[in-house]
Amino acid sequence: MNPITQTKALDVPTAILQRRSIKTFKTDPIEPELLKQLVELTVAAPSSFNIQDWRIILIQDEAQKAALAAASWNQKQVIEAPVTFVFAADFTAGEKDLTPILDQGLQTGAWNEGTVNYFRNSIPQFQAGLGDKRREYAIKDAIIASTHLVLAAESLGLSTCFMNGWIEDKVKEVIGATDDPNLAIAVIVPVGYAAEPRLNPGRLPFSYNVFVDKVGNPYQG
């Protein structure tokens, strides 16, 4: 029997404070409508110029899960979790056809003609001007989207774990992107129902790593 899904979503502060990195999952599936809601909340994340340069791959097939686990130093949470989100980043997205993004911004009323015309030229120029930093900027956008996923999942009764232990070339092989040199793997996030206690390891006092104006001037709160 599937776990009872949370009927009332947690508020954002509660989801942030309750979230834990879970590495042991039940194999219970995520209902399709709940999964769709997670995807909707994930892609609601902001991105530079709204170019939405993330490429999100949902790994659900058992053979795919096994292959992804092998590419991730055999971390078992990929096998156990019903779905694992692979967040990739296309660092040439801003230099491709922006028409769908610009037209949508115009249709929603978020941007006017002047803004759209400005973006049509300035976004490719800005992206090209980044040079080697393009990869870094795209990965940042994908990481922001993955944080939306993690908090949305927590709010809706699911658990997650950010994974940073994997071999990029092997992960790209799993997702069918071996021949795409412009795609970077940002982070991997298994999603499912926790099968372990949600223990809190605590956080250091603000004075250790939060400062005012300059490093070394601790924020006291």
Side-chain angles (χ1 to χ4, degrees):
M1 181 179 295
N2 293 345
I4 298 173
T5 55
Q6 202 158 296
T7 55
K8 184 179 180 182
L10 300 176
D11 59 80
V12 174
T14 301
I16 290 173
L17 293 173
Q18 180 175 291
R19 184 215 60 83
R20 298 288 175 266
S21 294
I22 296 298
K23 295 189 176 182
T24 304
F25 291 90
K26 299 175 182 177
T27 57
D28 304 84
I30 299 173
E31 293 297 323
E33 283 304 311
L34 181 57
L35 182 59
K36 181 181 178 182
Q37 188 175 5
L38 284 179
V39 173
E40 289 173 342
L41 293 170
T42 299
V43 300
S47 59
S48 180
F49 293 108
N50 196 37
I51 60 175
Q52 302 163 59
D53 44 357
W54 50 69
R55 302 294 179 262
I56 304 169
I57 303 88
L58 278 59
I59 304 296
Q60 302 179 87
D61 175 78
E62 293 301 324
Q64 283 289 89
K65 288 163 66 174
L68 183 60
S72 306
W73 305 108
N74 297 312
Q75 295 185 68
K76 64 182 176 58
Q77 57 265 44
V78 175
I79 298 290
E80 294 175 349
V83 183
T84 293
F85 284 61
V86 176
F87 286 84
D90 179 358
F91 51 89
T92 62
E95 299 162 50
K96 295 178 179 176
D97 181 14
L98 300 173
T99 302
I101 293 167
L102 298 176
D103 284 353
Q104 191 171 60
L106 195 61
Q107 290 166 10
T108 62
W111 299 337
N112 59 32
E113 288 280 1
T115 300
V116 166
N117 290 333
Y118 170 73
F119 280 167
R120 196 179 302 279
N121 295 317
S122 64
I123 293 175
Q125 290 174 2
F126 174 78
Q127 292 291 311
L130 287 174
D132 292 341
K133 285 282 187 180
R134 292 180 307 164
R135 177 184 172 97
E136 177 186 326
Y137 271 55
I139 288 175
K140 286 176 181 176
D141 282 343
I143 293 289
I144 292 169
S146 72
T147 302
H148 273 230
L149 166 67
V150 165
L151 295 180
E154 189 67 39
S155 172
L156 297 169
L158 294 159
S159 293
T160 58
C161 178
F162 286 115
M163 287 176 54
N164 200 27
W166 32 264
I167 303 167
E168 179 165 87
D169 288 347
K170 292 189 178 298
V171 174
K172 289 180 70 172
E173 184 178 338
V174 173
I175 65 173
T178 303
D179 297 329
D180 189 349
N182 299 321
L183 200 70
I185 304 301
V187 70
I188 295 174
V189 185
V191 183
Y193 295 96
E196 64 180 64
R198 306 174 58 78
L199 302 178
N200 183 358
R203 292 295 184 273
L204 294 169
F206 295 152
S207 57
Y208 274 78
N209 49 27
V210 183
F211 308 99
V212 177
D213 296 326
K214 294 183 179 181
V215 174
N217 182 30
Y219 171 70
Q220 301 296 337

